[in-house]
Amino acid sequence: GWNTYSGGGGNVLSETSAALAHGGTNYLKAYQAFIGSVNYNGVYQDNLSGPGAVYAADGWAYTAASDALAGQNAAWIEVTFRDASANILASYRSALVTTNAIAAGTFPKNTWIDLPVTNQYDPNTYAITNHTSALVAPARTCFVRCQVTFQGDAAGSAGSVYFDDLTLTQTAGGPQGNWN
């Protein structure tokens, strides 16, 4: 049920290892395209939704010491609410996995870290506008997209991030929101 997207041939792989996976045996590995410009790669899944529906989302992320995130590469989990033309109406993200987060110890290597989606972003400026665990579908919402994004830097820096046990749970509102 996941769709891949790629900015210039980047990679997202499904891998199997019961010893490495956070849960079960499968997990996702994302890394950059190595094309000499900033690129975005990942997977997404769309679900019908409507105004007033409320969600919570999270997932687990991991970077191996042998292939740790480097340079200006970054990764995150994102939830967006979209209209019938797929325009973004509201955007929420987890904390960013970056080399600074790794160096500061907030995202240690060789450790699965839970990334709850709690940062609300302005969809036009990408500035954080709020911190909340209630992801609310605004007016004109037709569907909700849950997405993993890997942003590769222009320098072609190495590193990858694994993702596992991604969840998007509707916590309030009707099956397709509240159409009042």
Side-chain angles (χ1 to χ4, degrees), residues 93-158:
R93 291 183 183 172
S94 67
L96 301 179
V97 179
T98 64
T99 55
N100 288 343
I102 294 167
T106 56
F107 193 87
K109 298 176 209 171
N110 296 330
T111 304
W112 284 101
I113 302 295
D114 186 30
L115 292 180
V117 177
T118 57
N119 297 313
Q120 185 173 11
Y121 280 74
D122 180 311
N124 298 310
T125 65
Y126 299 107
I128 295 175
T129 59
N130 191 23
H131 298 284
T132 181
S133 59
L135 317 179
V136 181
R140 301 187 346 263
T141 294
C142 289
F143 68 95
V144 58
R145 176 171 288 176
C146 184
Q147 171 174 314
V148 167
T149 300
F150 187 99
Q151 176 186 302
D153 66 15
S157 299

